[in-house]
Amino acid sequence: MSDLILELKDLSHSYDGKEISLNNITLTVNKAERVSILGPSGSGKSTLLRLIAGLEKPYSGTIAIQGKIVSSINQMVAPEKRNVGLVVQEKALFPHLTVQKNIGFGIRKNQDRSKIISDLLSLFKIEHLSNKYPHEISGGEQQRAALARSMAPDPELLMLDEPFSALDKKLKEELYAELNQIFKEREQTIVLVTHDLDEAKVLSEKQVNLENT
Amino acid sequence: MLPFSLLIIFCAPIFIVLSSLFGGYSDNWVHLYNYVLADYVSSTFFLISGVSVLVFFIGTITAWIVTNYDFYGKSFFEWSLILPLSIPPYILAYTFTGLFDPFGDANNLIRSIFNLGSDVSIFPNVRNIYGAIVVFSFTLYPYVYLVSRSAFLNQSKSMKESARLLGLSEIGVFFRLSLPIIRPAAIGGMMLVIMETLSDFGAVDHFAIQTFTTGIFRTWQGMYDLQTAMQLASLLLLVVGLFFILERSSRNKAAFTSNDSSFRPENEIRLPSMKSFWAFLICFIPLFIGFILPITELIFWAFESESSFINKKFIQTSFNSVSLAIISGLVTAFLALIINFSIRFKPGAIIKRLSSLLSIGYAVPGLILAVGMVQLFIYIDNNFLDSTRIVLTGSIFGLLLAYIIKTYALANSSIESGYERITSSMDDSSKLLGSTGWGMLARVHLPLLKTSFLTATLLVMSEVVKELPATLILRPFNFETLAVSTYIYAAEERMFQAASPAIAIVLIGLIPIFFLSKMIRSSNKSG
């Protein structure tokens, strides 16, 4: 199998069919590679992740995941069939489910469900929060839970959309160290969107400025 | 497709009523036009003018006092001032005449205390338009109170302090600053009160006031002229439509009054004992007239009644009302859920517009809806179903449909506000984790919308149990609900027997009020 996980070719996007929000993006990401997308506000960083996740349709160009075209003008593979994960800055945990149930949400048919949940709880050091609801835990703990939830289905590609921007500096630094270790151990392919160059350097090997692509 | 089909069904009775304007005009219309239409217009106009002024004062002043001052009973009044919403105007009208008629309980009590002769009547006659103004104002002022309270809570402390530094007294701040700022919101509440007043049939009928609704009912049930009744209904519908548009536009203008819902104003000013007493009294009077007085009178009647409070007939009518309420509540809440779910995934101006049009039924008086539906059902029965007998006309189905059309807006607003709290990131996460479409509705939306769904169901149930004119006209033969039973007993002046169904209506109406007041109390704690 090829090492190529993600391939974007001449990808453009427009919300209204008139103004172009992303113009001719070409990018490749290999297995276990960690890539950061940088760029000023409004440059279309988050839109790019939503396009890869299948939450937006491209205006032109193609997106291929593991060599298979998943988005083009004529073709759209549903988000749940792309085997990608997405963690966003805002709180996207389901407020009616405990941390444990949030993590297990995407793997309900998996026979190893309990083991996966407990492994991830331990990996992200949130075992003690397993029966808590999102509103009962801190912002940093919520982001750990959100990361664990997105990694539970073992996605080929994990996308992070400024996931730490709401956290304080000390908490961020703690998380960076832990996440680097987790991502390396699991050989997790990452696409990180951030406006923070330091964060990009710590968490990824390759930085792409959206203005220069 | 669903919103479009529903829109056709929801609007059909309204179009049928309006289409009567282009049909032939009978002698009855000529008679009404020449002799009574002017009375209908003038008394309706006088009634809504009086009610508007009174509810504006009661609603805004009580809201101002409870949001700005600390006085004895403040935390109790904050939520209890909405209790009169559980009393339909027609029930307050029945208890008013029971109390204040020359031989009513209040006059009898005064006479017995002061040993006065039976020809002495202390209280003025309430069976007139002034009595009706009082009745509507004291049951409907909570609409203005609720929006005004919320708007006052959002007014900033620094703004009021600047006004004081610029020379305004406390009262000056109220009249020259706070009141003008909340005016659009309060006017929006007032428009709702006017629409409710225009829709009423029970209270004005009891007081024998000639308004549009009593005129429509008499033209149809007395003259047996459905066409003329529809023509009268069309005129009323146009007036209601005007207030509906005014309410919508006030709602848009009111946006600036509520910039931040979590904002709490300054520490309340602690009132000295004498002023505290006046604040208590100002808040107590509307609660007393709109809730305590009618409840006390109803309980008194229930004890005085010779027949058992809970008899076979009461159980049957309660069962009828509650079953209709539960079915309508669940169906309406479910429809609102499905429509809002569709809007979320097919966002577009057309579907949103269609959905907001579905709420039009709330503004249409129950009597007009019933008139339109009867005409529609007669047409369907004669042309599409068995023309030798009636199938839809006078059926439970027709009644349920009218309730759903009338209450859809209530369910929709509750579900819509519930959906506003579900972020699009949650939808995205759900999609990426494999729950899409109905799966997302069942696993993510429905659990999160539990409270909204329950609130929607309860609001619809409470409205259905109270609804009188539509039930009176559309019910199957010999089928009685609590509202119909109360109306019939009251029309026969059998007030003691009217007590048990009336109390049941109030108790059911109290359920959503209880939830609403709980929300008010918890918003105070969190603030």
Side-chain angles (χ1 to χ4, degrees):
Chain A
M1 188 189 274
S2 155
D3 267 359
L4 191 63
I5 294 289
L6 176 71
E7 186 177 18
L8 312 180
K9 264 190 196 165
D10 303 323
L11 189 67
S12 296
H13 176 265
S14 169
Y15 280 102
D16 55 6
K18 292 172 197 162
E19 263 185 61
I20 299 292
S21 48
L22 266 178
N23 196 13
N24 279 332
I25 305 291
T26 296
L27 176 74
T28 55
V29 181
N30 291 317
K31 173 84 183 160
E33 194 175 15
R34 284 176 284 141
V35 178
S36 289
I37 312 281
L38 292 145
S41 295
S43 59
K45 302 188 296 289
S46 298
T47 307
L48 180 63
L49 295 196
R50 292 177 62 77
L51 279 163
I52 299 168
L55 299 166
E56 294 290 335
K57 283 184 180 172
Y59 182 65
S60 66
T62 58
I63 300 169
I65 293 175
Q66 287 191 293
K68 187 186 161 203
I69 292 188
V70 291
S71 290
S72 69
I73 307 171
N74 310 316
Q75 192 183 347
M76 276 295 284
V77 172
E80 69 274 16
K81 291 182 180 152
R82 296 182 177 216
N83 198 18
V84 296
L86 175 66
V87 180
V88 293
Q89 172 196 340
E90 53 195 293
K91 292 165 188 170
L93 286 179
F94 302 126
H96 63 300
L97 300 178
T98 59
V99 166
Q100 183 177 196
K101 286 186 176 161
N102 257 292
I103 297 173
F105 188 91
I107 49 168
R108 64 187 189 282
K109 287 177 187 159
N110 193 319
Q111 286 180 338
D112 298 326
R113 188 168 184 263
S114 309
K115 188 177 178 313
I116 296 171
I117 295 172
S118 72
D119 284 353
L120 283 165
L121 282 169
S122 131
L123 191 67
F124 283 93
K125 297 179 182 162
I126 49 174
E127 300 103 312
H128 60 293
L129 306 174
S130 64
N131 290 318
K132 299 246 182 213
Y133 284 90
H135 69 274
E136 296 174 315
I137 62 180
S138 70
E141 290 164 342
Q142 287 183 13
Q143 281 311 61
R144 285 167 193 262
L147 280 160
R149 185 179 69 182
S150 61
M151 285 174 72
D154 195 20
E156 277 301 338
L157 174 66
L158 180 60
M159 298 184 288
L160 311 173
D161 187 359
E162 308 216 22
F164 315 113
S165 57
L167 306 183
D168 63 54
K169 200 180 166 200
K170 189 168 169 271
L171 203 59
K172 272 187 202 177
E173 282 165 3
E174 274 174 32
L175 261 177
Y176 292 158
E178 282 176 33
L179 288 178
N180 261 332
Q181 198 183 340
I182 292 170
F183 293 155
K184 269 182 198 162
E185 272 174 22
R186 294 175 69 110
E187 294 194 324
Q188 182 68 60
T189 314
I190 300 285
V191 174
L192 167 73
V193 155
T194 180
H195 61 271
D196 182 344
L197 186 60
D198 294 334
E199 185 174 276
K201 283 179 180 165
V202 175
L203 285 174
S204 62
E205 301 109 7
K206 185 165 120 185
Q207 289 86 41
V208 178
N209 192 333
L210 212 48
E211 282 187 323
N212 303 330
T213 50
Chain B
M1 198 59 205
L2 179 71
F4 190 68
S5 319
L6 279 180
L7 187 69
I8 293 175
I9 298 170
F10 279 30
C11 289
I14 301 167
F15 284 127
I16 287 170
V17 168
L18 286 175
S19 69
S20 67
L21 284 176
F22 306 103
Y25 288 82
S26 68
D27 290 345
N28 286 331
W29 171 262
V30 177
H31 167 79
L32 288 173
Y33 183 80
N34 288 333
Y35 298 104
V36 285
L37 192 59
D39 287 344
Y40 291 164
V41 173
S42 62
S43 56
T44 303
F45 181 75
F46 189 73
L47 182 66
I48 59 172
S49 307
V51 172
S52 305
V53 172
L54 210 50
V55 291
F56 187 79
F57 278 106
I58 301 171
T60 53
I61 290 173
T62 50
W64 169 259
I65 290 173
V66 297
T67 48
N68 287 278
Y69 299 104
D70 186 9
F71 61 98
Y72 181 72
K74 170 209 157 73
S75 53
F76 166 73
F77 286 120
E78 261 184 324
W79 62 267
S80 64
L81 275 165
I82 63 168
L83 289 176
L85 271 185
S86 63
I87 311 265
Y90 59 88
I91 289 185
L92 187 62
Y94 301 158
T95 53
F96 251 50
T97 52
L99 280 163
F100 302 119
D101 270 353
F103 291 95
D105 293 322
N107 272 316
N108 286 343
L109 184 71
I110 300 286
R111 276 195 291 260
S112 71
I113 290 171
F114 297 101
N115 209 13
L116 301 170
S118 61
D119 56 330
V120 179
S121 185
I122 306 298
F123 296 101
N125 178 22
V126 290
R127 286 181 188 259
N128 52 38
I129 202 156
Y130 301 103
I133 289 172
V134 171
V135 161
F136 285 115
S137 302
F138 282 88
T139 47
L140 301 173
Y141 78 83
Y143 283 113
V144 177
Y145 167 77
L146 277 169
V147 289
S148 306
R149 178 183 173 274
S150 159
F152 281 136
L153 277 173
N154 285 316
Q155 289 186 351
S156 84
K157 181 184 176 181
S158 51
M159 182 188 73
K160 288 182 207 164
E161 283 173 348
S162 309
R164 292 302 299 274
L165 290 172
L166 291 166
L168 287 187
S169 65
E170 270 177 46
I171 301 286
V173 170
F174 173 68
F175 280 108
R176 292 187 54 195
L177 184 76
S178 293
L179 201 56
I181 290 174
I182 68 138
R183 200 181 51 210
I187 286 176
M190 238 164 69
M191 293 304 139
L192 287 174
V193 171
I194 290 173
M195 285 193 278
E196 289 277 346
T197 308
L198 288 171
S199 300
D200 175 81
F201 166 71
V204 285
D205 182 59
H206 190 66
F207 285 161
I209 299 165
Q210 289 202 325
T211 61
F212 272 106
T213 46
T214 51
I216 294 164
F217 197 79
R218 281 173 199 151
T219 307
W220 186 10
Q221 303 285 318
M223 299 176 180
Y224 303 103
D225 186 349
L226 181 55
Q227 174 72 6
T228 306
M230 287 205 297
Q231 285 160 341
L232 262 183
S234 303
L235 293 185
L236 177 56
L237 197 57
L238 294 175
V239 177
V240 172
L242 177 73
F243 286 105
F244 181 70
I245 294 165
L246 287 174
E247 192 268 336
R248 289 285 149 136
S249 81
S250 332
R251 200 186 289 192
N252 294 337
K253 284 181 198 157
F256 72 90
T257 65
S258 52
N259 48 353
D260 179 3
S261 60
S262 63
F263 182 82
R264 295 282 294 160
E266 72 266 50
N267 296 329
E268 294 118 356
I269 302 161
R270 175 86 204 151
L271 291 178
S273 54
M274 200 54 207
K275 281 187 176 176
S276 181
F277 168 75
W278 284 113
F280 178 92
L281 199 64
I282 291 169
C283 294
F284 181 73
I285 289 170
L287 180 66
F288 179 74
I289 297 176
F291 187 75
I292 298 171
L293 203 59
I295 285 286
T296 313
E297 180 70 348
L298 287 175
I299 293 169
F300 174 71
W301 282 346
F303 279 112
E304 286 291 305
S305 174
E306 283 169 15
S307 58
S308 156
F309 180 78
I310 299 173
N311 52 36
K312 203 176 159 193
K313 190 181 175 193
F314 172 71
I315 293 170
Q316 183 59 50
T317 49
S318 302
F319 176 78
N320 291 346
S321 276
V322 173
S323 326
L324 284 173
I326 290 175
I327 297 170
S328 331
L330 289 174
V331 172
T332 315
F334 188 71
L335 279 176
L337 177 71
I338 299 293
I339 302 265
N340 279 283
F341 181 69
S342 325
I343 292 171
R344 198 160 169 102
F345 292 103
K346 284 185 186 137
I350 296 174
I351 194 166
K352 273 202 168 164
R353 186 55 60 128
L354 281 181
S355 169
S356 64
L357 279 174
L358 288 176
S359 297
I360 205 164
Y362 188 71
V364 180
L367 187 61
I368 295 181
L369 198 60
V371 171
M373 289 190 72
V374 165
Q375 184 71 340
L376 174 70
F377 288 159
I378 290 172
Y379 180 78
I380 296 174
D381 275 341
N382 288 342
N383 294 287
F384 300 104
L385 301 171
D386 188 348
S387 61
T388 58
R389 65 192 181 92
I390 49 172
V391 180
L392 285 176
T393 315
S395 67
I396 292 282
F397 172 78
L399 198 52
L400 285 170
L401 187 59
Y403 290 151
I404 292 167
I405 296 174
K406 183 97 182 90
T407 57
Y408 177 81
L410 291 172
N412 185 55
S413 64
S414 175
I415 300 282
E416 207 172 50
S417 64
Y419 257 117
E420 278 164 17
R421 291 192 294 272
I422 302 178
T423 62
S424 58
S425 333
M426 286 181 205
D427 287 355
D428 293 346
S429 302
S430 173
K431 275 183 205 165
L432 288 169
L433 295 165
S435 282
T436 55
W438 295 109
M440 189 192 297
L441 181 66
R443 294 186 69 208
V444 180
H445 291 183
L446 204 52
L448 289 172
L449 290 170
K450 249 185 330 201
T451 313
S452 303
F453 192 87
L454 179 70
T455 311
T457 311
L458 288 173
L459 283 171
V460 171
M461 283 176 65
S462 153
E463 276 302 303
V464 166
V465 170
K466 285 193 268 186
E467 175 57 40
L468 177 63
T471 318
L472 205 55
I473 287 166
L474 293 169
R475 69 194 167 122
F477 183 68
N478 247 354
F479 181 89
E480 281 193 21
T481 63
L482 290 168
V484 171
S485 193
T486 309
Y487 170 78
I488 293 172
Y489 281 134
E492 293 167 359
E493 296 289 333
R494 293 162 66 191
M495 304 321 275
F496 292 165
Q497 283 88 344
S500 53
I503 289 174
I505 293 171
V506 175
L507 287 177
I508 295 169
L510 274 173
I511 299 171
I513 302 293
F514 170 76
F515 280 97
L516 196 58
S517 60
K518 212 173 145 188
M519 275 159 60
I520 290 176
R521 280 187 305 234
S522 64
S523 73
N524 292 341
K525 280 176 196 156
S526 64

